[in-house]
């Protein structure tokens, strides 16, 4: 072997070893991330993530160690190519860990700690075999990315992860703005980001058959729907096919967010969008459609909730949020709007099969009066007394049942908006009132989560307690 | 003082303005004349003063500075531990949010079980009418031994008093205190039975009266009794278990259980627990020979007479005690259990939510072959040896079924257990038809992947 070739091998070994050591250190750090509460509520998700990344790193090393004599006889150029790919992959693994760690070191505030558990629970139901990782970042926007087998260029490297967690395991990373993490109401936007992971999945069998699609097609929901709409994918105009599909994607995720967290998303969307337009008036529509287009569908989804509540005041309270001042009027060609509409109609046809409706309007309607009554009394809405309730037959001995966290979020937010609109106390600082409402909602959600956990664990573990008589024998 | 049942009625009436929320266990928390409250997740700890620092409210600036320096808020989660050292004083809050109407006051008192360990609740605990918020508890350990408090356990009780002269005090709250107007006849003293609740609520209250424990655990004591805090039902669910999940290996004899258990322990880092460990301990405790198979079988049968899931529950208690690691310093462990004998034992574990059954499957011919090739001792109690090959496979099967499958395996045939395992919702099948370990290992690995998926999909954050 020439000296140059030996140097190349040596350089590669050093670089790979250095990268893997860094990954190991980052993995350990990520496993130990703490919060104000001592241990991090997302600890389990981050441990799993760190373990998966480390398995990949070890697979890289095993692959490098498997380079035999035959490989070493290849030209330096050819070997360099393979080395480069492997080191590049290892380095990207390092970035996977660095990014969340960099921001998790900033202590997360109680608001998101409280919401993290219910969001994670909801995600696991929507996206099978997934882990949700929430971490703050400096930008004033919400973004998601998914780390799964498709990110790894060589399938054999994913095998250790597949053996441990299953091939389809996905790590859904949602970045949320640091400066908004204290406001539970605005964090409803996280539901939209989770929606992006959901629609990456292949279309379920039922809709697939109805659309006459091949069984083995792994295309995601939006791509399939875009292709199924009865016109050319890319209507002539200034927008590319990819851009239009991205717009459909965004609107679909808005619909998913409304159906997963309710009207709170509508308000959060309006507030976050208004803020971003203030900051970025010339916002590019490369990936996101104009706000007017999104509001069209958001208002339709909102009506599914508001029409369940007899008092029409809710509609009047929320509709003004949709009036987006100062934005460019719709500059999108009518046939593009029509094509997007056809896609969304198709999506809506199948959305009930894509996502089991986690937060149905009747639940919202049932819980709203109680929560608003409790909020008006400054009582954290945590539970509903069900003792003797004939609807509560599955646990007839139970005194109370936890309120749904989404009901608490929506109920307290709407109560807050109503009292702000009422303007009966014009001297009340709006920001202070908002903080009070946020604290009330978070307290209610925290207590309802305690109730949920206690109820389930008492039911599961209580019967296992040995009788005191046995212990004293 | 307002009685427990009346408190429940007031709580169920939204117009009463009386709130204690959430009540995680009405059966345990609502007493005859009080409501137990739980330790909340926020605690203010004080550091020892060094130098001339002091709390002097007359100097506002220094007072606030001293508070900032000397008192630090510590936030924990439900089930986490907090050690209260001898002589230490902390400010805690109740988990429950409390709201009192204008005609009601309350007092926060310590529970006797904690008092017997040295935990006291300070005296400034009168809660004024109209109060809203969580209750601040001033906790001090006046004993000589550190006390471990778990966030979420009941540490105090609230007793509620009616301000009888208040015009808003409802009749039912005053019913315990006869009030006779001057024009009323003496016979109007008794306000009659309290039946102000709805019919479903009344039915629930009737059922509640039957469920809850009425007697104090210290009743009839003639000398000071030590604390019986360990009997609190809270401890079965508040304390977290540092468990990932538990796997129970079940299968017919010679289906490969030992091989799977060995693989899980040596290659996958599982911790092994056996039913026989519990029985052996009982033998030692009762002064009998733990080395005798006959004795162990007798003890096992006796324990199953206490309750058909007694051993399962004692094993759970042992695992629980050895895996209470709320600081999560260790990675949550995975546990394998072997030695199930009855459907009730398996069912008890299946209901815990932590558990999956690994059901080993091998047909009779495969198992028979393993028995024959393994050189095992003749089946216990067998009065005839296994027929040789010349007798034919049917004869060997019949012998095997009679002397192996149906014979006493630890005193109990396994047929019912296997049937229950196959029908159970927590089962994961592992096929073991082939000789040689690699295929069994591969099948077991696949089963573990499925179990990992299940574990990570758990809806709720199970302890650990």
């Amino acid at each position: 072997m020439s000296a140059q070739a030996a140097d190349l091998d040596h350089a590669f070994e050093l670089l790979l070893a250095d990268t893997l050591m860094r990954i190991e250190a980052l993995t350990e750090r990520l496993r130990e991330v703490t919060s104000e509460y001592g241990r991090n509520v997302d600890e389990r998700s981050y441990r799993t993530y760190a373990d998966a990344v480390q398995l990949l790193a070890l697979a890289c090393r095993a692959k490098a160690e498997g380079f035999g004599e035959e490989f070493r006889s290849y030209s330096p150029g050819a070997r360099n190519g393979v080395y480069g790919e492997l080191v590049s992959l290892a380095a990207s693994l390092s970035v996977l860990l660095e990014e969340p760690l960099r921001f998790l070191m900033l202590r997360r505030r109680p608001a998101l700690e409280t919401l993290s558990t219910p969001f994670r629970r909801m995600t696991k139901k929507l996206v099978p075999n997934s882990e949700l990782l929430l971490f703050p970042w400096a930008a004033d926007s919400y973004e998601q990315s998914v780390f799964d087998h498709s990110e790894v260029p060589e399938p054999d490297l994913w095998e250790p992860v597949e053996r441990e967690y299953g091939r389809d395991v996905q790590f859904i990373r949602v970045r949320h703005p640091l400066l908004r993490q204290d406001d539970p109401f605005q964090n409803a936007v996280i539901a939209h980001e989770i929606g992006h992971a959901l629609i990456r999945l292949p279309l379920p069998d039922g809709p697939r058959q109805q659309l006459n699609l091949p069984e083995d097609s792994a295309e995601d929901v939006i791509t399939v729907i875009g292709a199924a709409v009865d016109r050319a994918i890319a209507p002539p105009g200034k927008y590319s096919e990819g851009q239009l599909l991205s717009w459909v994607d965004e609107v679909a995720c808005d619909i998913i967010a409304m159906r997963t967290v309710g009207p709170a998303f509508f308000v959060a969307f309006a507030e976050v969008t208004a803020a971003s337009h203030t900051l970025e008036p010339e916002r590019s529509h490369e990936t996101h459609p104009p706000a007017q287009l999104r509001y069209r569908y958001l208002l339709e989804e909102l009506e599914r909730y508001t029409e369940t509540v007899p008092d029409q005041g809710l509609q009047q309270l929320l509709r003004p949020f949709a009036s987006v001042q100062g934005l460019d009027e719709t500059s999108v060609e009518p046939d593009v709007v029509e094509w997007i509409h056809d896609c969304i109609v198709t999506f809506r046809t199948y959305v009930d099969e894509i996502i089991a409706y986690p937060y149905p309007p009747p639940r919202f309607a049932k819980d709203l009066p109680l929560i608003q009554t409790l909020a008006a009394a400054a009582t954290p809405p945590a539970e509903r007394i069900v003792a003797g309730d004939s609807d509560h037959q599955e646990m007839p001995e139970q005194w109370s049942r936890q309120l749904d966290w989404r009901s608490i979020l929506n109920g307290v937010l709407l109560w807050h908006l109503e009292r702000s609109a009422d303007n009966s106390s014009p001297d009340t600082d709006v920001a202070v009132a908002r903080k009070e409402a946020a604290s009330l909602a978070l307290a209610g959600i925290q207590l309802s989560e305690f109730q949920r956990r206690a109820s389930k664990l008492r039911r599961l573990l209580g019967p296992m307690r040995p009788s005191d008589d046995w212990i004293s024998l | 003082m307002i009685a427990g049942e009346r408190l429940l009625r007031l709580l169920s009436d939204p117009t009463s303005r009386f709130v204690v929320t959430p009540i995680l266990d009405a059966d345990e928390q609502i007493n005859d004349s009080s409501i137990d409250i739980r330790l909340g997740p926020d605690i203010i700890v004080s550091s020892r003063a060094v130098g001339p620092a002091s709390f002097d409210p007359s100097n506002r600036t220094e007072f606030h500075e001293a508070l900032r320096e000397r008192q630090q808020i510590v936030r924990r989660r439900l089930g986490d531990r907090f050690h209260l050292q001898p002589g230490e004083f902390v400010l805690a809050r109740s988990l429950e949010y409390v709201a009192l109407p204008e005609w009601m006051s309350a007092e926060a008192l310590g529970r006797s079980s904690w008092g017997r360990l040295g935990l006291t609740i300070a005296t400034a605990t009168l809660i004024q009418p109209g109060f809203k918020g969580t209750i601040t508890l001033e906790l001090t350990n006046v004993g000589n031994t550190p006390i471990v408090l778990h966030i979420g356990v009941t540490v105090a009780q609230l007793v509620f008093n009616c301000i009888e002269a208040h015009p808003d005090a409802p009749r039912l709250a005053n019913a315990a205190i006869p009030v006779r107007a001057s024009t009323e006849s003496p016979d109007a003293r008794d306000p009659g039975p309290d039946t102000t609740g709805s019919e479903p609520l009344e039915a629930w209250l009737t059922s509640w009266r039957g469920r809850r424990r009425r007697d104090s655990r210290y009743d009839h004591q003639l000398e000071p009794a030590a604390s019986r805090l360990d009997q609190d039902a809270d401890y079965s669910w508040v304390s977290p278990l540092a468990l990932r999940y538990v796997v129970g290996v079940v299968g017919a004899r010679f289906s490969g259980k030992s091989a799977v258990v060995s693989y899980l322990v040596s290659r996958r880092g599982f911790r092994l627990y056996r039913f026989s460990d519990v029985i052996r301990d009982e033998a030692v405790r009762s002064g009998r020979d733990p080395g005798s198979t006959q004795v162990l079988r007798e003890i096992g049968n006796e324990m199953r007479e206490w309750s058909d899931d007694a051993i399962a529950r004692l094993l759970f208690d042992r695992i629980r005690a050895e895996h209470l690691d709320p600081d999560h310093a260790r990675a949550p462990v995975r546990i394998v259990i072997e030695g199930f004998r009855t459907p009730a034992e398996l069912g008890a574990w299946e209901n815990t939510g932590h558990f999956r059954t690994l059901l080993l499957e091998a047909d009779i011919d495969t198992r028979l072959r393993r028995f024959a090739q393994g050189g095992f001792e003749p089946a216990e109690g067998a009065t005839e040896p296994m027929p040789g090959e010349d007798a034919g496979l049917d004869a060997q099967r019949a012998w095997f079924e009679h002397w192996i499958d149906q014979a006493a395996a630890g005193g109990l045939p396994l047929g019912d257990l296997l049937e229950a395992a196959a029908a159970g919702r927590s089962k994961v099948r592992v096929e073991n038809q082939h000789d040689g370990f690699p295929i069994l290992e591969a099948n077991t690995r696949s089963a573990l992947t499925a179990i990992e998926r299940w574990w990570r999909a758990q809806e709720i954050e199970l302890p650990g």
Side-chain angles (χ1 to χ4, degrees):
Chain A
M1 189 189 296
S2 69
Q4 184 190 23
D7 283 346
L8 181 63
D9 292 335
H10 188 58
F12 164 71
E13 282 163 17
L14 284 177
L15 199 53
L16 189 63
D18 181 62
T19 306
L20 294 177
M21 247 172 30
R22 193 160 73 243
I23 289 174
E24 196 171 318
L26 287 169
T27 304
E28 279 309 304
R29 243 1 231 113
L30 205 56
R31 284 196 189 116
E32 296 163 6
V33 167
T34 58
S35 75
E36 275 187 48
Y37 294 86
R39 56 190 174 89
N40 191 308
V41 70
D42 293 327
E43 185 181 307
R44 201 165 81 170
S45 299
Y46 273 102
R47 275 179 182 266
T48 308
Y49 181 59
D51 288 347
V53 170
Q54 195 166 46
L55 281 174
L56 278 171
L58 293 173
C60 286
R61 185 169 68 190
K63 192 174 183 80
E65 287 168 356
F67 290 148
E69 282 307 314
E70 186 186 340
F71 174 79
R72 293 186 197 285
S73 68
Y74 293 167
S75 69
R79 297 212 315 282
N80 203 21
V82 175
Y83 286 159
E85 268 188 19
L86 212 50
V87 166
S88 174
L89 174 61
S92 70
L93 295 179
S94 170
V95 169
L96 287 182
L97 301 178
E98 277 170 9
E99 189 191 10
L101 192 59
R102 192 164 61 241
F103 289 102
L104 284 173
M105 300 303 290
L106 302 164
R107 297 213 135 175
R108 237 168 41 182
R109 304 294 290 275
L112 208 57
E113 294 265 3
T114 303
L115 288 176
S116 187
T117 299
F119 264 125
R120 193 169 51 253
R121 187 169 63 236
M122 184 175 81
T123 305
K124 282 182 185 293
K125 278 188 173 173
L126 293 173
V127 186
N129 202 13
S130 66
E131 294 288 346
L132 177 66
L133 310 169
L134 294 175
F135 61 89
W137 69 336
D140 187 15
S141 61
Y142 291 81
E143 272 192 22
Q144 67 84 38
S145 60
V146 174
F147 177 64
D148 64 4
H149 64 91
S150 64
E151 301 287 310
V152 179
E154 296 190 46
D156 59 337
L157 292 174
W158 189 258
E159 270 176 26
V161 179
E162 179 179 338
R163 269 202 303 274
E164 190 70 21
Y165 303 113
R167 176 170 176 71
D168 59 347
V169 67
Q170 332 187 15
F171 297 95
I172 303 170
R173 296 168 303 202
V174 175
R175 303 172 187 87
H176 57 84
L178 254 171
L179 56 88
R180 294 185 192 281
Q181 64 177 347
D182 283 341
D183 190 323
F185 307 120
Q186 289 189 344
N187 282 317
V189 176
I190 292 172
H192 170 99
E193 302 305 328
I194 294 170
H196 281 294
L198 176 60
I199 57 174
R200 282 175 89 246
L201 301 175
L203 204 61
D205 288 342
R208 186 178 292 279
Q209 285 162 11
Q210 288 170 35
L211 289 171
N212 294 319
L213 293 172
E215 277 184 23
D216 57 355
S217 168
E219 303 238 54
D220 61 67
V221 169
I222 296 304
T223 305
V224 162
I225 285 175
V229 169
D230 188 19
R231 58 176 67 240
I233 281 268
K238 59 184 179 184
Y239 306 106
S240 68
E241 174 184 335
Q243 187 176 6
L244 292 181
L245 285 177
S246 178
W247 287 16
V248 174
D249 200 301
E250 293 298 330
V251 175
C253 289
D254 287 343
I255 292 172
I256 290 173
M258 286 295 293
R259 295 186 181 213
T260 51
V261 297
F265 173 72
F266 182 85
V267 176
F269 172 82
E271 291 178 346
V272 171
T273 306
S276 64
H277 276 277
T278 305
L279 292 170
E280 302 171 58
E282 299 299 323
R283 187 186 174 103
S284 160
H285 290 148
E286 184 60 36
T287 53
H288 291 65
Q292 287 94 334
L293 203 56
R294 297 174 79 171
Y295 274 119
R296 173 181 178 176
Y297 301 100
L298 282 170
L299 284 167
E300 287 176 13
E301 291 294 318
L302 182 64
E303 256 182 51
R304 296 168 71 114
Y305 288 96
T306 55
E307 67 189 9
T308 61
V309 177
D311 179 6
Q312 291 305 306
L314 206 53
Q315 271 276 354
Q316 290 162 10
L317 182 69
L318 294 177
R319 279 197 79 94
F321 279 90
S323 56
V324 284
Q325 304 295 332
L327 301 175
D328 52 274
E329 289 301 310
T330 304
S331 57
V332 184
E333 289 87 340
D335 60 344
V336 170
V337 172
E338 196 182 330
W339 180 80
I340 290 175
H341 181 69
D342 287 347
C343 287
I344 295 304
V345 166
T346 309
F347 174 75
R348 276 211 176 112
T349 306
Y350 302 115
V351 70
D352 289 337
E353 291 182 69
I354 294 167
I355 153 186
Y357 218 129
Y359 188 56
R363 167 85 58 83
F364 166 79
K366 181 179 177 181
D367 290 343
L368 190 64
L370 172 63
I371 291 171
Q372 292 192 308
T373 302
L374 291 169
T379 300
E383 60 181 357
R384 173 191 295 280
I385 294 171
V386 295
D389 186 346
S390 56
D391 290 340
H392 190 64
Q393 287 306 311
E394 73 273 16
M395 296 211 53
E397 298 173 354
Q398 207 166 341
W399 167 252
S400 62
R401 186 182 169 84
Q402 76 277 0
L403 286 165
D404 189 294
W405 66 280
R406 289 159 290 209
S407 288
I408 298 170
L409 201 65
N410 283 290
V412 175
L413 175 61
L414 292 171
W415 161 77
H416 165 68
L417 292 175
E418 272 181 3
R419 73 170 175 169
S420 301
D422 187 23
N423 220 14
S424 54
S425 305
D427 295 333
T428 304
D429 189 301
V430 171
V432 168
R434 177 78 173 221
K435 271 193 175 167
E436 282 174 4
S439 294
L440 201 61
L442 287 173
I445 292 173
Q446 186 189 54
L447 294 177
S448 83
E449 289 292 308
F450 286 164
Q451 179 68 289
R452 167 187 277 271
R453 174 189 160 117
S455 172
K456 182 152 184 167
L457 292 181
R458 269 207 336 273
R459 189 161 41 88
L460 294 178
L461 303 182
M464 287 301 271
R465 190 172 164 77
S467 166
D468 294 332
D469 299 336
W470 304 345
I471 292 170
S472 61
L473 277 173
Chain B
M1 192 180 286
I2 303 174
E5 189 165 320
R6 294 209 169 99
L7 292 171
L8 282 170
R9 293 176 191 283
L10 288 167
L11 286 171
S12 68
D13 178 6
T15 65
S16 72
R17 297 177 179 244
F18 174 52
V19 174
V20 178
T21 184
I23 293 187
L24 303 186
D25 189 344
D27 291 353
E28 291 291 328
Q29 283 179 255
I30 313 293
N31 308 307
D32 277 338
S33 57
S34 64
I35 296 178
D36 287 354
I37 53 175
R38 298 176 184 276
L39 183 64
D42 306 311
I43 300 174
I44 293 178
V45 299
S46 301
S47 53
R48 277 197 191 281
V50 175
S54 59
F55 289 135
D56 181 2
S58 67
N59 185 328
R60 181 177 286 181
T61 307
E62 285 187 15
F63 179 63
H64 283 285
E65 199 174 308
L67 284 175
R68 260 196 312 274
E69 282 180 18
R70 299 292 162 206
Q71 290 190 335
Q72 179 196 353
I73 190 162
V74 170
R75 298 188 197 277
R76 288 292 177 261
R77 300 190 189 283
L78 194 67
D80 282 353
R81 281 183 192 181
F82 181 84
H83 287 74
L84 194 65
Q85 303 298 329
E88 187 176 3
F89 165 80
V90 298
L91 288 175
R93 66 140 170 121
S94 65
L95 186 145
E96 295 84 356
Y97 178 94
V98 175
L100 302 179
E102 293 296 333
W103 54 264
M104 185 194 287
S105 68
E107 291 170 70
L109 308 174
R111 286 182 58 207
S112 168
S113 291
W114 284 110
R116 292 165 197 246
L117 298 177
L119 179 70
T120 64
I121 308 241
T123 54
T125 54
L126 179 66
I127 303 152
Q128 299 290 347
F131 172 85
K132 286 181 180 174
T134 54
I135 308 296
T136 299
L137 304 166
E138 297 104 359
L139 304 176
T140 307
N141 180 359
V142 298
N144 301 320
T145 309
I147 297 171
V148 178
L149 299 166
H150 289 83
I151 306 298
V153 296
T154 53
V155 291
Q157 51 190 329
L158 295 179
V159 294
F160 300 88
N161 302 299
C162 176
I163 303 184
E164 60 184 53
H166 197 287
D168 292 339
R171 183 194 70 84
L172 63 86
N174 277 333
I177 308 166
V179 174
R180 182 161 51 127
S182 58
T183 55
E184 282 180 345
S185 72
D187 292 335
R189 213 175 299 165
D190 180 3
D194 188 351
T195 55
T196 53
S198 65
E199 197 177 309
L201 179 62
E202 293 303 320
W204 186 91
L205 285 168
T206 302
S207 155
W208 170 76
R209 282 182 217 118
R211 280 195 312 275
R212 52 175 294 265
R213 190 191 60 218
R214 302 291 305 243
D215 54 323
S216 160
R217 57 179 65 140
Y218 305 105
D219 267 1
H220 310 298
Q221 64 182 11
L222 298 176
E223 55 190 39
S227 173
R228 292 179 190 152
L229 207 51
D230 59 309
Q231 294 178 11
D232 272 11
D234 287 347
Y235 287 107
S236 69
W237 59 268
V238 161
S239 312
L241 303 174
L243 292 185
R244 207 171 172 96
Y245 50 79
V246 178
V247 158
V249 178
V250 173
R253 299 185 76 188
F254 299 99
S255 58
K257 295 193 294 295
S258 300
V260 167
V261 168
S262 175
Y263 166 72
L264 293 177
V265 171
S266 61
R267 299 285 293 278
R268 300 304 291 262
F270 279 68
R271 294 195 191 175
L272 174 61
Y273 284 83
R274 296 186 168 98
F275 274 66
S276 55
D277 295 336
V278 173
I279 298 173
R280 210 163 270 118
D281 281 355
E282 180 63 21
V284 168
R285 197 169 64 158
S286 57
R288 287 183 272 184
D289 178 11
S292 161
T293 307
Q294 178 66 20
V295 164
L296 294 179
R297 187 173 300 159
E298 280 171 12
I299 291 174
N301 290 339
E302 284 166 21
M303 294 174 84
R304 289 182 178 106
E305 277 176 25
W306 297 347
S307 166
D308 52 9
D309 62 357
I311 307 174
R313 288 158 68 180
L314 286 167
L315 186 60
F316 176 84
D317 207 46
R318 168 186 298 221
I319 290 172
R320 186 179 159 281
E322 292 177 5
H323 294 283
L324 285 172
D325 184 18
D327 293 329
H328 289 249
R330 300 168 294 176
V333 299
R334 290 178 276 199
I335 285 177
V336 57
I337 297 178
E338 69 166 352
F340 288 93
R341 289 288 180 264
T342 70
E345 287 167 358
L346 189 65
W349 271 95
E350 280 182 326
N351 289 334
T352 61
H354 282 274
F355 181 82
R356 295 280 106 171
T357 309
L358 266 188
L359 180 58
L360 273 283
E361 293 181 325
D363 62 25
I364 186 170
D365 290 345
T366 304
R367 295 187 293 116
L368 193 161
R369 191 172 60 247
R370 285 178 190 148
F371 173 78
Q373 290 171 356
F376 291 97
E377 291 293 316
E380 188 179 323
T383 55
E384 56 198 61
M386 186 171 92
E389 281 184 18
D390 50 341
L393 195 54
D394 285 344
Q396 289 185 317
R397 281 195 197 118
W399 182 93
F400 189 85
E401 272 183 3
H402 183 76
W403 291 112
I404 304 296
D405 276 351
Q406 291 173 18
L412 292 161
L414 293 178
D416 290 345
L417 172 67
L418 295 176
E419 218 173 281
R425 60 186 181 280
S426 75
K427 68 174 177 297
V428 181
R429 296 179 193 272
V430 177
E431 187 247 307
N432 190 19
Q433 287 293 111
H434 306 273
D435 292 330
F437 188 64
I439 298 177
L440 176 61
E441 182 183 341
N443 290 344
T444 307
R445 261 208 319 267
S446 296
L448 285 182
T449 300
I451 292 173
E452 284 286 329
R453 267 183 84 137
W454 158 80
W455 174 74
R456 286 186 296 106
Q458 292 300 292
E459 177 191 332
I460 193 172
E461 288 289 311
L462 285 178

